[in-house]
């Protein structure tokens, strides 16, 4: 089987936590790698952002990233990407024609890619599998007061994909309900494929590892450390953690609390400085450190050094940061939204907080920091919980979804019938 994955607006090779790169990048790259290792050939089409990358990047056997030139390399905000849909689709068609390569199926990620996938589905007469990752209607329902709403144009495009894709892949049952409630999706065309984590990379730290990680980060060994990993945008909630930090220190100024916020600004209206300014306004600048985005190999150091990882998002389709932290043996305090109640086993591997009230978040973090026995028990249970989620299993589930998609409506399309019989 050969699959064309489409990830137009962000490359799976881009550093997660910077710009628009995040959990989706991790998901696309890791599922594609595991699919390739299981015998499915995968080409990921993405928009070129650097001329030095070249058109084709061989990631590993059976997996390539194809960089399509569509618009300028630099300076194109995500909000302007819809203007490049035709150019991007044309680039994919040209690559397909010039390289004499045929695909059995298209898997698009995010609504921009879905619009391209919808066009190519009809040109190539192959099934379209679509993963939204986030949905406009859901983001608007959960957005913070300071967040800009998602456009009606995006919601309409998402509705078109819900109506036209052969299969809609979601991360959790919660997303299934979102598609049904907000987009009137047919539940028979929705497949739940749970994401995974790299448990070979994200591993629990020993006391020695924790001490080494803290030394590398310049964190005192006797400090209480809470970490946030992700893009710096209101929707991800770093401001929630900063305000909760100020509240905990207001209650107890002698508390040896430190906070690390690791990530880059996301969106045209967001800068790292605004979160630094918030910390300064609340008088906690000396307690909160901001780190640039870093590769997964270096995130392990942060997870192992932390007592708690906070995930105060306003919505998450799953919560890969929460799973990575747990794989490293670090309990999680997360918002009770989206897929986070699946990623975090409440009371066993972490704590779920209703809403984003500053006092409630301060209470949750404070209670867990003060309860060493519970926190250490959760650390042990978190590793076992994360072990149940693997990218290999996610890829196997996807391969089964692909096989099922190839069998749909084959009687109405001779080319599809030939492909299904050949596979």
């Amino acid at each position: 089987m050969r699959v064309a994955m489409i990830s137009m607006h962000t490359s799976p090779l881009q550093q997660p936590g910077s710009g628009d790169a995040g959990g989706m990048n991790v998901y696309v790259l890791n599922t594609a790698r595991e699919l390739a290792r299981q015998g499915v050939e995968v080409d990921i089409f993405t928009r070129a952002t650097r001329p030095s990358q070249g058109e084709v990047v061989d990631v590993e056997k059976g997996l390539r990233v194809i960089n399509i030139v569509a618009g300028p390399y630099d300076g194109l905000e995500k909000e302007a990407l819809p203007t490049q849909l035709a150019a991007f689709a044309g680039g994919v068609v040209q690559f397909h024609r010039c390289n004499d390569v045929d695909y059995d199926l298209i898997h698009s990620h995010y609504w921009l890619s879905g619009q391209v996938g919808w066009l190519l589905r009809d040109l190539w007469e192959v099934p379209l599998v679509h993963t939204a990752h986030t949905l406009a209607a859901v983001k608007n329902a959960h957005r913070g007061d300071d967040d800009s709403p998602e456009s009606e144009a995006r919601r309409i495009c998402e509705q078109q994909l819900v109506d036209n894709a052969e299969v809609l892949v979601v991360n959790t049952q919660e997303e299934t309900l979102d598609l049904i409630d907000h987009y009137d999706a047919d539940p028979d065309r929705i497949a739940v494929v749970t994401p995974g984590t790299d448990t070979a990379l994200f591993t629990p730290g020993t006391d020695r590892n924790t001490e080494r990680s803290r030394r590398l980060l310049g964190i005192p060994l006797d400090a209480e450390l809470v970490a946030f990993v992700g893009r710096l945008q209101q929707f991800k909630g770093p401001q929630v953690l900063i305000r909760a930090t100020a509240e905990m220190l207001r209650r107890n100024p002698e508390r040896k609390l430190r906070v690390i916020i690791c990530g880059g600004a996301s969106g045209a209206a967001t800068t790292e400085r605004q979160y630094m300014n918030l910390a300064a306004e609340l008088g906690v600048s000396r307690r909160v450190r901001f780190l640039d985005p870093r590769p997964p190999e270096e995130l392990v150091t942060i997870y192992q050094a932390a007592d708690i990882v906070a995930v105060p998002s306003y919505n998450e389709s799953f919560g890969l940061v929460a799973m990575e932290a747990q794989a490293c043996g670090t309990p999680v305090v997360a918002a009770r939204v989206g897929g986070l109640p699946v990623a975090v086993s409440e009371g066993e591997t972490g704590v779920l907080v209703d809403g984003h009230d500053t006092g409630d978040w301060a209470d949750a973090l404070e209670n867990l920091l003060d309860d060493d026995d519970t926190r250490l028990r959760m650390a042990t249970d978190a590793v076992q919980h994360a072990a149940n989620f693997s990218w290999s299993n996610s890829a196997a589930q996807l391969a089964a979804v692909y096989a099922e998609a190839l069998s749909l409506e084959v009687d109405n399309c001779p080319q599809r019938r030939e492909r299904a019989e050949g596979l």
Side-chain angles (χ1 to χ4, degrees), residues 143-148 314:
R143 70 184 177 90
D145 295 336
D146 298 330
D147 257 353
S148 301
Y314 281 80

Side-chain angles (χ1 to χ4, degrees), residues 88-100:
F88 184 82
V92 177
V93 170
Q94 183 180 43
F95 179 88
H96 173 261
R97 182 178 64 247
C98 295
N99 290 274
D100 192 27

Side-chain angles (χ1 to χ4, degrees), residues 362-389:
D363 289 344
L365 292 167
E366 202 171 56
N367 291 339
L368 193 54
L369 286 170
D370 290 341
D371 190 344
D372 291 340
D373 291 341
T374 297
R375 196 176 66 257
L376 293 174
R377 173 184 58 78
M378 285 183 171
T380 300
D381 292 343
V383 177
Q384 296 301 316
H385 177 64
N388 296 320
F389 298 84

Side-chain angles (χ1 to χ4, degrees), residues 217-405:
L217 293 168
I219 301 295
L221 296 181
D222 62 346
E224 300 169 325
L225 179 60
V226 179
F228 169 96
V229 175
R231 297 194 304 279
L232 299 186
Q233 58 180 185
Q234 296 289 302
F235 196 70
K236 293 293 184 180
Q239 72 281 359
V240 176
L241 176 57
I242 294 171
R243 293 190 178 109
T245 299
E247 174 61 19
M248 285 190 284
L249 291 171
R250 184 193 66 78
R251 296 173 182 177
N252 181 7
E254 302 303 316
R255 190 166 203 118
K256 296 179 179 180
L257 178 63
R258 297 289 187 276
V259 172
I260 282 180
I261 295 179
C262 178
S266 175
T270 303
T271 64
E272 183 181 9
R273 176 55 57 184
Q274 74 185 67
Y275 296 102
M276 291 180 174
N277 289 343
L278 176 61
E281 290 168 12
L282 296 173
V284 295
S285 291
R286 298 181 66 180
R287 304 294 190 104
V288 180
R289 284 184 56 196
F290 290 84
L291 301 179
D292 291 335
R294 51 201 57 203
E297 294 78 9
E298 295 181 28
L299 287 180
V300 176
T301 299
I302 295 176
Y303 292 139
Q304 290 182 349
D307 293 299
I308 296 172
V309 168
V311 186
S313 302
Y314 281 80
N315 195 56
E316 288 284 351
S317 60
F318 181 64
L320 292 177
V321 165
M323 192 56 65
E324 291 170 356
Q326 290 170 101
C328 290
T330 305
V332 174
V333 174
R336 193 192 302 275
V337 295
L340 285 169
V342 176
V344 180
S345 180
E346 185 171 19
E348 299 297 326
T349 68
V351 176
L352 297 174
V353 182
D354 294 309
H356 297 83
D357 178 77
T358 297
D360 291 343
W361 272 85
D363 289 344
L365 292 167
E366 202 171 56
N367 291 339
L368 193 54
L369 286 170
D370 290 341
D371 190 344
D372 291 340
D373 291 341
T374 297
R375 196 176 66 257
L376 293 174
R377 173 184 58 78
M378 285 183 171
T380 300
D381 292 343
V383 177
Q384 296 301 316
H385 177 64
N388 296 320
F389 298 84
S390 72
W391 288 119
S392 177
N393 185 52
S394 301
Q397 293 178 60
L398 272 180
V401 169
Y402 294 167
E404 178 67 21

Side-chain angles (χ1 to χ4, degrees), residues 132-147:
H133 293 279
T134 62
L135 294 163
V138 176
K139 291 191 75 171
N140 285 339
H142 294 281
R143 70 184 177 90
D145 295 336
D146 298 330
D147 257 353

Side-chain angles (χ1 to χ4, degrees), residues 3-14 16 20-36 42-46 59-60 63-66 107-110 113 131-133 171 195-196 320 391 394-395 398 402:
V3 173
M5 277 196 187
I6 304 177
S7 180
M8 175 189 170
H9 85 286
T10 179
S11 170
L13 302 180
Q14 189 176 348
D20 294 313
M24 193 184 92
N25 298 65
V26 177
Y27 179 98
V28 172
L29 181 59
N30 282 280
T31 53
R33 273 180 167 158
E34 289 298 331
L35 282 165
V42 182
D43 282 348
I44 304 174
F45 290 91
T46 191
V59 180
E60 60 181 72
L63 173 58
R64 304 186 298 181
V65 171
I66 316 299
H107 187 173
S108 56
H109 295 271
Y110 195 62
S113 301
T131 303
H133 293 279
N171 294 325
L320 292 177
W391 288 119
S394 301
L398 272 180
Y402 294 167

